[in-house]
Structures are given as structure tokens and as C-alpha cells.
Amino acid sequence: MSQTALTRRLPEPADRGRADAPCGMPAQAAGVLPVEDVMAELRTRRTGLSSGEARERLAATGPNAVRSHHVRVLTVLARQLRSALLLLLLVTAAVSFFFGERTDAVIIGVILLLSVALGFANELRAERAAEALHSRVRHTVIAVRDGREAEVDVTDLVPGDVVRLALGQIVPADLRLLEATALQCDESVLTGESEPADKDTAPVSAGTALAELTGCALMGTVVHAGSGTGVVVATGGRAEFGRIALGLGERQPETDFQVGLRRFSMLLLQVAAVLTTSIFVTNMLLHRPLLEALLFSLAIAVGITPQLLPAVVSTSLAAGSRQLARRKVLVKRLVCIEDLGDMDVLVTDKTGTLTEGRIAFQSALDPHGNDSAEVFQLGLLGTEGDLDGAHLGGNPLDSALWQAPGATAAVADDHRRLAVLPFDHERRLTSSLVQRPDGNRILVTKGAPEAVLARCTEVPQQAAAVLTDLFAAGSRVVAVATRPAGPATAITAADESGLHLAGFLVFLDPPKRSAADSLRRLAELGIAVKICTGDNPLVAEKVCRDLGLKVGRTLTGQDIASLGDEQLAVAAQESTVFARVSPEDKARIVRALRRRGRAVGFLGDGVNDALALHGADIGLSVDTATDVAKDAADVVLLEKDLGVLAEGVAGGRRIFANTIKYVLMGTSSNFGNMFSAAGASLVLSFLPMLPSQILLNNLLYDSSQLTIPTDRVDTEQLAAPSHWDISLIRRFMLVFGPVSSVFDFLTFWVMLGIFHAGPALFRSGWFVESLATQTLVIFAIRTRRIPFLRSRPSWPLLAAALGVVALGVVLPMSPLAPALGFQALPAGFFLALAVMTALYLALIEIVKRLFFGRPTRPTSPVRHRGHEHRVQRRASRFSHLGPLAHR
């Protein structure tokens, strides 16, 4: 309640400052007015706008969006040029050009241009892939246009549109409610309040706080219960949520990994600044030319800064979305790839994931466990659909019952259904008022056995034993009860009492054959699987045991209701099965697990799963799910199979594991090169490498690393999410960098002591050795195993690395050598190079084993995501290809 949105008050009626009606009005102003006055001011009607009116208003107000995913070419280019060191080097090269060092200056300029172009091309391609991904995702809402209901893109809504609201839906704009049926909205994204807010159509008094605006449904909030209809009063940045979201920026948010990458780049820049200054001062003390010393120092600094890191990350994410799609996993936004890989707890239903999802009717039993045709008939009469088995409302148990042999014949006589009280998660019952052929009316109630038995006057003692045996066998059971209804013509929940237990309907949904392997795969990925089901706890436990899933504590819906939030957070960690749970229970379980810093995924496919899908770190649904569930999900699986999900998680982790490889290799090699350059500057009478050669070396090395996203990843690297560990990277840089420098210094001795090299030959030797060692070391550092024998790189990475080394060897002998300041190397050098490279890779293996020690299973860090993350995630639904409207 501390947010500014809660403390704002409505202006006095005479000073409302309403916008031009078709452009909308603030929700707080609309909430004060009666519905008809709002409709009049917006110049609309309950039958909605016409298509022409909607187009005119869209042109006037702009899209209902708070994020833009349009690729701006100049912005991508500017990101390549924003390095102060790169620009300073370019300016210095230009100055040296005018002072006569024209060849070197031109070469530096060309290499810088190629480096920028390489980063620009790769990042632009990745950005366009992301744009295409966002453009394919549509979020729609049911609006009334031209007098009839139609699906409309959320971003096309305008003030005056009449919109329908249903359970689990995200409110698409600020609405003044016209109708509300038991409507509640979760407004925590705006107010921070965890309790849902009741909604109605009555106007509020002036001065009412935003959190108490009962007559309005606000953009970005979630329909927690009930349904409603509202007229759009504000869209995009004019809506309450839109103002908050735009305050965080218009572009799609960075992932946590990208934020860490940017911070790490700043750390490297600081290291580069210190070392570059030292090298420059050293060169000046040795009375070297100012421009030469400055160019050399700046080139070294540019070399250590990871210029292609953004391109590598963007390319990895774009390639990752395509790889996941091939594995039947569709992500709606690139940020979802990281969330998918981060997941360490999965909450899922058992139907269709642990079981086949093909429910079959087994038998109808009386309370004593004997077959009963009467119970079978009563079960058919108690279904919510028609008495011919049609229009069953998607209830799989009713469908299985009607598919049983003899179902149609069992109710072929003249039974009439007079009224139905549908199932809900509070009662866990369905009741039907039925008139028999003899004219007598009966109430048939069926549902969860414990709910039905609690409403029966007498229950045979043997019934409890029959139920226990059925549950222990893994059967799904529906209890059926009845009583005379007299002359009743309608039924309410109060009529579901004084019942006589008729018996039980028994169904079977066998465990899925592939589920055991899928669960083992998820366990290997460090993901704890928890089952949320509306079924009996004994049935859920039996299925888990059959599939080898270790069952910890089991909580029922009643248990959950009796626990406070902190108590539930502790209990949820220890529990495997949550049985007889409601939609609100599922959402509470997800919130409780997140309170402990776990990255929680929720897999659901029904309308009742929408609340939990919105509340999870990563919402998962399937292609056959309801529209509400698919709309609420971040990731859609083309098959409801935990194996497909495991592949998706592994794919997400593979992307970031490969990016970490680039970071470790690049920082250690570049730091080693700077260390070597600093040392060489102290003892040589000439620059150890020309600025243009340093930049060329860096360009070639970075080019070879662009294939890292294709590399294979060892299974132990997938056992937990990849997260930034700056201390590990810093230690890695300080250990492996100097190891690289040892062989650089050995190269210096070989060039000076054996080949008596002059400046050109010395630079050629170090260029080739430096490029070869820092490029080939990728095969050692990419894995903690023995390279090639126990861990093979991908073919593209192998080809790129060997190709760059071959190019580096050829350059000093090519026609370009004189222009680049190279000289052909003697044959003996290549023998020395082969020996030094082999020794270097062997030493790296030894140091690697000492550095990492015994293999340990990585653990996921505790992660708490705040309000800003929730706003950013919700805002991504309101994304538009193009500029946003002015507020």
C-alpha cells in the first residue's frame, strides 16, 4: 500500500480534466460516473463500436501497447559504436593519418570497420529474429464490434470498445464495468495486495483511492473469479498500468543474464583502463612516439573488451528459439528461454503428464463393492451434458462414462432433466434434477467421494473400505448419491443434503509409459517435480510410486487452507503431492515456492490453471490447452509430455552454458595478452605488436567464437541453471591468463634467442602463436572433461577454430604481409609453435583440474524477483511492432 498509485486521489468533479471523449478518460474519473454517463462521454454503446469507428480512434489514440519490439537499425549500429575506447582509437588513428602514418591508420580503420560490421550484422540478424518471434505471438480479447462478438488483438483496442472478461484473463485495458457476475480481480501488480478485489458496477465517491475503485477493472490485472463486461476508458500509456510500465522504458527488458553480462563488461572495462594506462605510461617513459604509444595502448584495451559479447548472446538466444521449436517447444519471448533454463521446480497436473490422459470407465459399484447397473444409470443422469452424451462441457470423466458399452441404452427410456447445478471447486459436486418415466423427481448428486459422503445421512461401514481399496489401486472414483426431490423445479447448493449413497463410478487413467524416463531426465536436470491434482491423494501417491517419483509430504486443499503463507512456504518445499486443490490453491502453492527463492514452472492446460500460470516464473501450457491457458503461458509445448519439457529446459541451459564458455575463454586469453604486452613493453626497444595487428588478432579470434552457440554441452553442465558468478570468472581470468602469458614469454625467447628476430619477424611470430593458442585453447576450456576423448566440440566450432588458425599461419606469407607489417616465418618456427601449443594445452589441462578440483553438482542460487520484474513480464503482453502512442 506504499506505492504512489494507491495514494493518488480523484480530482474534484468540476476539475476532472477529461480528455476528448474518443481518446478516453482516466479510470479514476470514469469510476465516479454512472455507467450511462461514461458511455455518453465516450460516444459508444453497449453494442460496441463499428469497425470504422474503431479504426478512426486507433489512428487518434495509437496502439494499446507499452512495449515496442520494432528493430531500429540505427540503434543496433549505435550499440556497436558506443565503446569510448573504440571511438578514441578511431580518433587517434585519424590523427596519425594526418601526421604521416597513413598505412597503419588505414589498416586500423579497416579492421575496426570490419569488427563493427561483424558485430552489427550478427546482432541485427538476432534482433530481427526476435522481432519476428514477437510478431507471431498474438494476444486477443473478445470485444463487441459491429454489434457482434469478435476476437480483437489486445493492441487494437480503443476507448469505447466493449470487452468481455472471463476467469484467468488479463484485463486488456482500463475498463468501466457494465456488468459484473461475482467478479474479482487480482490487482497485486498495481497495488501489491495479495487478496483479490471485489468488483461491481456501482460508481464510487470522489476521492476514492485506486485500490478501492470497485467499478473499474484495471489494465494488467488478472480476473481471479467470475466474469464481466466493461467499456474501455484508457489504453496504452494512458492506463494506470501503462504509466508504470512506460516508466521502466519502452523496449523489451533485458534478461537477468544480459544484465549480468553488461555489468561484467563494465568490470572488464575498468581492468582495461588500469592496464592500458600502465602500458601507455611505460611506453612514454621509454621515450616512444606519443601517437604510437597511444595507438598501441588503446588497441590492447579494445582487445580485452568483449566487443562481440552482445552479438554472441543475441545470436545464441535467436538460435535457441529455433532449436527449441525443433524440439516442439515454442517460446513467446526470448526472455522466456532464460526463465525456462532457470527452472528448478515444476508444478504440474498428473493427467496427461504422468498418466496417459485417456480416462476409461471401469465399473459401477454399490457401497458394498458389487457391480450395479443402477449406479451406472444414475451416473449418466448426473452428467452436465445432454442425456444423449452430447455437449458434455469437456468433462473427461463424463465423456468416458458415455463411451462405455450400453450407456445410451441405460437412459433410453423417458428420463427428463429439469435442472442442473454445475460443478465448482468449492463444492466439488455436480447435481441434476431428473424426472423419471413414472413422473417422480429425484436429485442426483455426484462428485468427490469425501464431498458426497459428507452430505449423506447414512453411509454403510463397508463403503469406506471399498473406497480405500479403489484408491490404493490407483483408480479415480466418483461417488453417486440421490434422494427424492418432490415437486421441485430448480435446485441450489442447499438442496445437496440428506442424500442416500448409491455407489461409486470407477475410472482408470494408467501411468504414461514414457513418464518414468521423463521424470528421471528432469531429476538429472535438478528439477523437483510436484504434483497438483484435483484427484484423491492416495491415487496421486500411487501413480507417483509406480513411476519412481519419491513421495514426500502430501497436502490436501483443506491442509493448504489451514496454513498461513509462511507455513505453506515451508510445507510446500517438503511436499510432493497436492491433492483436491482448487485454482486458488494452485496459485498459492506457486507463490509459496517462489517465496523460498525457487524458480517455479507451472504446467497447466485448463481455464482453472490460468491463475497459477500467471503467478509462476515460467508458465507452461500445451497446444491442445484452452485458449485462456495458452494465452496465460510463456511457453507452449506441442506435446503434453514431460520429456518434451525436459528437452526444452536442457536447450535453455545449453544456450547460457555456451555463452559462459565464450566469457571464460575470451577474458582469460585477452587478459593474458595484455599481461604479455605489458611485460614485453618493459624489455623491448620496439612495440611487441602493431596496433593494427592487435586488432586483426582480436577480429579473427572473435570470428571463430561466433560458432560457440552450436557447441555441444556436457551433461553435468546442464545439471543446474547457469548463473553469473563474477568471482569465478575473475579467478579464472587471473589463473588462466598468466598461464597464457608464460607461453607468450616463451615465444619471445624463441624469437629473440633462437631466430634473432627483428621487429617485423618478432611481431609475426607472436601474432601467430597468440592466435593459435588462444583459439585452440577453446577445446580445453569448453569442457571440464578430457577434450575430444570424452567431450567433442561441434563441427562448426571445430571448423571455425582450425580455419582461423590456418588463416593466421598463412597471413605472414601472403601478399598482404608487407601492408600488415608481417614477415615470412622460418620453417623451424612452426616446429617450435607445434611444441609450444601442445605443451600449453597440456598445462591448461593440469591447471583446469586443479582449478575446478573434484566435480561437484552445481546448486541453484536463491532468487527473489521483485515488483519491477512482474511489471516487465506483464507489460510484454502489450507489445507493438512500431512506435508507441504519446501519453
Side-chain angles (χ1 to χ4, degrees):
M1 297 293 287
S2 62
Q3 298 181 38
T4 55
L6 298 182
T7 59
R8 284 179 289 186
R9 300 290 174 182
L10 290 174
E12 293 304 315
D15 188 33
R16 276 198 273 264
R18 300 172 187 141
D20 184 37
C23 291
M25 59 196 305
Q28 289 179 305
V32 174
L33 299 176
V35 166
E36 296 309 321
D37 289 359
V38 174
M39 300 287 280
E41 292 213 14
L42 294 174
R43 297 205 287 273
T44 187
R45 48 209 170 274
R46 289 178 182 264
T47 54
L49 301 172
S50 68
S51 297
E53 288 173 321
R55 281 193 299 272
E56 290 176 3
R57 296 190 184 194
L58 185 61
T61 62
N64 179 34
V66 294
R67 292 287 179 270
S68 172
H69 55 266
H70 175 62
V71 175
R72 298 177 177 89
V73 175
L74 291 179
T75 302
V76 177
L77 180 59
R79 284 203 292 270
Q80 313 307 310
L81 300 173
R82 66 186 177 188
S83 168
L85 286 173
L86 186 147
L87 294 175
L88 186 56
L89 179 59
L90 193 60
V91 170
T92 308
V95 171
S96 68
F97 177 86
F98 290 106
F99 277 85
E101 300 291 336
R102 298 190 174 185
T103 302
D104 282 350
V106 169
I107 292 172
I108 290 171
V110 170
I111 293 173
L112 283 176
L113 182 62
L114 289 174
S115 179
V116 168
L118 183 64
F120 171 73
N122 279 278
E123 195 166 344
L124 181 64
R125 183 173 59 182
E127 287 275 331
R128 284 184 169 157
E131 177 186 89
L133 177 64
H134 282 281
S135 296
R136 284 199 301 269
V137 177
R138 290 185 63 211
H139 294 287
T140 60
V141 66
I142 299 299
V144 182
R145 292 267 178 97
D146 299 313
R148 57 181 180 273
E149 293 184 352
E151 273 196 3
V152 176
D153 277 359
V154 165
T155 55
D156 290 339
L157 286 179
V158 295
D161 265 326
V162 175
V163 173
R164 308 294 190 210
L165 296 178
L167 177 66
Q169 181 181 344
I170 289 183
V171 179
D174 280 357
L175 308 178
R176 177 66 171 92
L177 291 171
L178 309 178
E179 301 170 8
T181 304
L183 182 63
Q184 292 182 322
C185 290
D186 176 356
E187 297 182 340
S188 57
V189 74
L190 284 176
T191 67
E193 290 289 339
S194 58
E195 290 298 317
D198 293 318
K199 297 294 179 179
D200 55 43
T201 60
V204 297
S205 59
T208 300
L210 183 67
E212 298 166 3
L213 206 60
T214 56
C216 293
L218 302 174
M219 179 182 185
T221 62
V222 182
V223 178
H224 182 88
S227 60
T229 301
V231 59
V232 175
V233 298
T235 59
R238 298 181 181 88
E240 297 296 333
F241 174 79
R243 279 194 276 271
I244 296 171
L246 283 177
L248 301 176
E250 296 183 5
R251 299 296 296 167
Q252 297 295 331
E254 292 180 308
T255 68
D256 290 347
F257 193 88
Q258 287 171 319
V259 171
L261 201 61
R262 179 163 44 78
R263 290 172 179 167
F264 177 67
S265 297
M266 290 304 298
L267 172 66
L268 277 186
L269 193 60
Q270 292 168 1
V271 172
V274 172
L275 288 180
T276 301
T277 303
S278 302
I279 293 172
F280 176 72
V281 170
T282 300
N283 278 271
M284 292 305 298
L285 292 175
L286 294 174
H287 306 292
R288 300 218 172 105
L290 173 64
L291 284 177
E292 181 183 87
L294 185 59
L295 280 171
F296 177 72
S297 303
L298 290 174
I300 287 289
V302 170
I304 197 175
T305 52
Q307 286 175 269
L308 289 188
L309 264 181
V312 168
V313 174
S314 299
T315 302
S316 295
L317 288 171
S321 68
R322 294 191 295 270
Q323 292 166 8
L324 291 175
R326 286 195 292 270
R327 292 182 171 90
K328 301 181 180 180
V329 179
L330 304 181
V331 295
K332 292 184 178 180
R333 304 179 309 281
L334 291 184
V335 68
C336 299
I337 297 175
E338 181 178 345
D339 288 334
L340 187 61
D342 275 350
M343 182 173 66
D344 58 9
V345 174
L346 172 66
V347 182
T348 179
D349 190 9
K350 69 176 179 63
T351 303
T353 51
L354 301 186
T355 66
E356 292 290 348
R358 294 191 296 269
I359 300 172
F361 173 70
Q362 295 292 106
S363 59
L365 307 176
D366 65 19
H368 304 284
N370 303 314
D371 289 335
S372 171
E374 181 189 8
V375 173
F376 180 50
Q377 183 189 62
L378 289 172
L380 293 168
L381 293 173
T383 54
E384 292 185 32
D386 298 338
L387 291 184
D388 57 1
H391 309 297
L392 295 176
N395 186 318
L397 296 176
D398 283 353
S399 297
L401 190 62
W402 277 99
Q403 289 167 9
T408 305
V411 291
D413 48 8
D414 195 19
H415 285 91
R416 290 179 56 210
R417 181 182 290 126
L418 304 179
V420 174
L421 191 61
F423 177 89
D424 66 52
H425 287 274
E426 296 297 324
R427 295 165 34 252
R428 291 181 290 146
L429 301 170
T430 297
S431 291
S432 297
L433 180 63
V434 177
Q435 181 172 296
R436 288 188 176 277
D438 60 7
N440 290 325
R441 297 179 180 182
I442 60 171
L443 176 71
V444 180
T445 297
K446 67 175 188 176
E450 54 268 36
V452 173
L453 266 58
R455 290 165 171 80
C456 292
T457 53
E458 293 184 10
V459 178
Q461 290 184 351
Q462 196 171 350
V466 170
L467 263 180
T468 301
D469 290 344
L470 290 172
F471 287 144
S475 300
R476 299 185 66 172
V477 183
V478 173
V480 182
T482 184
R483 70 168 176 82
T489 57
I491 50 177
T492 66
D495 296 318
E496 296 171 328
S497 59
L499 301 173
H500 167 72
L501 179 64
F504 307 110
L505 301 171
V506 184
F507 302 85
L508 183 63
D509 184 12
K512 186 179 286 189
R513 292 181 180 179
S514 62
D517 288 337
S518 299
L519 288 171
R520 279 194 294 273
R521 179 76 176 114
L522 289 169
E524 290 169 359
L525 293 170
I527 296 174
V529 177
K530 298 180 183 292
I531 308 304
C532 250
T533 177
D535 211 342
N536 182 274
L538 294 177
V539 176
E541 290 172 358
K542 172 70 163 55
V543 172
C544 291
R545 283 194 297 270
D546 288 347
L547 294 173
L549 179 62
K550 185 178 179 181
V551 178
R553 186 175 173 183
T554 297
L555 292 179
T556 65
Q558 286 184 330
D559 297 330
I560 293 168
S562 67
L563 297 174
D565 289 343
E566 279 298 330
Q567 293 172 309
L568 181 58
V570 174
Q573 288 281 95
E574 303 168 350
S575 302
T576 305
V577 174
F578 304 92
R580 298 297 194 204
V581 291
S582 68
E584 173 56 29
D585 290 334
K586 295 177 183 179
R588 277 197 72 200
I589 292 164
V590 168
R591 288 197 300 269
L593 290 167
R594 292 187 68 216
R595 285 171 72 93
R596 291 289 170 178
R598 307 300 296 272
V600 181
F602 183 88
L603 175 59
D605 58 4
V607 172
N608 295 319
D609 295 319
L611 296 177
L613 286 167
H614 287 306
D617 289 298
I618 182 78
L620 306 151
S621 194
V622 292
D623 197 37
T624 55
T626 61
D627 289 341
V628 170
K630 284 195 290 187
D631 188 65
D634 304 297
V635 175
V636 176
L637 310 179
L638 297 185
E639 291 182 13
K640 192 174 183 180
D641 188 329
L642 292 181
V644 172
L645 177 58
E647 281 298 311
V649 172
R653 293 183 182 177
R654 193 173 291 114
I655 292 166
F656 296 102
N658 279 333
T659 307
I660 288 292
K661 291 178 189 177
Y662 174 84
V663 171
L664 292 176
M665 290 181 293
T667 52
S668 59
S669 296
N670 291 344
F671 180 75
N673 287 341
M674 286 192 67
F675 194 76
S676 301
S681 297
L682 292 173
V683 298
L684 294 177
S685 60
F686 53 86
L687 292 179
M689 201 183 292
L690 295 176
S692 58
Q693 293 168 347
I694 293 171
L695 295 175
L696 179 60
N697 185 298
N698 189 54
L699 176 64
L700 293 175
Y701 171 74
D702 277 346
S703 300
S704 72
Q705 304 308 294
L706 285 173
T707 54
I708 280 182
T710 69
D711 192 27
R712 298 183 178 96
V713 176
D714 300 335
T715 53
E716 60 267 22
Q717 291 179 278
L718 303 178
S722 294
H723 291 279
W724 276 104
D725 187 344
I726 298 295
S727 64
L728 170 69
I729 297 171
R730 186 187 298 112
R731 285 188 292 112
F732 195 94
M733 179 175 69
L734 294 175
V735 170
F736 286 83
V739 173
S740 170
S741 293
V742 167
F743 285 86
D744 286 338
F745 293 139
L746 182 58
T747 302
F748 298 165
W749 177 80
V750 169
M751 297 307 297
L752 295 173
I754 297 178
F755 297 110
H756 308 291
L761 186 61
F762 180 93
R763 291 163 182 159
S764 301
W766 188 31
F767 178 88
V768 172
E769 181 271 339
S770 172
L771 185 61
T773 52
Q774 74 173 345
T775 303
L776 295 178
V777 77
I778 182 178
F779 301 122
I781 292 179
R782 59 170 290 277
T783 177
R784 298 187 186 184
R785 301 178 179 181
I786 300 173
F788 295 102
L789 295 179
R790 295 191 58 211
S791 179
R792 292 181 295 111
S794 68
W795 285 109
L797 180 61
L798 181 64
L802 295 180
V804 162
V805 172
L807 182 59
V809 169
V810 168
L811 272 176
M813 298 178 286
S814 72
L816 295 174
L820 294 171
F822 291 136
Q823 181 179 333
L825 291 161
F829 168 80
F830 295 103
L831 176 60
L833 175 66
V835 171
M836 286 189 295
T837 302
L839 289 174
Y840 173 59
L841 296 178
L843 182 58
I844 285 292
E845 277 299 306
I846 296 171
V847 174
K848 183 175 72 175
R849 292 184 178 280
L850 294 173
F851 183 85
F852 289 112
R854 288 182 300 176
T856 56
R857 183 185 182 87
T859 57
S860 298
V862 174
R863 180 182 65 173
H864 294 286
R865 286 175 160 174
H867 182 257
E868 181 177 326
H869 174 80
R870 294 187 63 203
V871 172
Q872 290 278 28
R873 184 181 173 203
R874 194 67 52 83
S876 65
R877 301 175 56 86
F878 303 94
S879 184
H880 175 66
L881 180 61
L884 303 182
H886 295 294
R887 284 179 277 179

